[in-house]
Amino acid sequence: MTAETAVALPALVIVLAVALWAVTAVGARLECVDAARAGARAASRGEPLERVRSAVLAAAPAGARVAVTRGAETTRVEVSVNVVPGWSASLPGITVHATAVSITEPGVEQPGGTPE
């Protein structure tokens, strides 16, 4: 019984660690989606792009990169972040992305964007 436990326990710990990392990545993805949607709505209404970018960064996970582009017809917000496992920074991270596109409301001035 002890030998089986000694063999199975490390495998169980690895599976649990990978599952927790996956949950962290999914959570970061959901935060990116929420931040991109809120940013696209605000930018399409005519909010200043720097204010939109700041709001998106506040809602996104730490270390996120944000690009806001407002055109005459559509407004696009892209959010991405690299998620690394919390227990080992030496392992490679997963980059999660979210993009939201909204129709620019009529009368909104200054088409353009602020890339990253």
Side-chain angles (χ1 to χ4, degrees):
M1 177 76 171
T2 304
E4 291 86 4
T5 303
V7 171
L9 193 56
L12 182 61
V13 169
I14 289 172
V15 168
L16 179 62
V18 170
L20 289 174
W21 186 19
V23 168
T24 302
V26 169
R29 167 86 163 111
L30 292 174
E31 287 182 66
C32 288
V33 167
D34 289 342
R37 286 179 181 171
R41 281 192 304 270
S44 68
R45 287 190 310 255
E47 294 285 331
L49 295 182
E50 274 307 311
R51 189 180 316 160
V52 170
R53 188 173 189 283
S54 297
V56 171
L57 283 172
R65 295 172 304 280
V66 175
V68 180
T69 308
R70 181 166 45 216
E73 295 181 12
T74 61
T75 299
R76 179 183 185 96
V77 176
E78 298 177 31
V79 181
S80 62
V81 67
N82 192 31
V83 180
V84 294
W87 66 89
S88 175
S90 64
L91 291 174
I94 298 172
T95 302
V96 293
H97 302 276
T99 302
V101 179
S102 181
I103 296 174
T104 304
E105 293 192 11
V108 172
E109 301 273 335
Q110 299 175 346
T114 59
E116 194 173 342

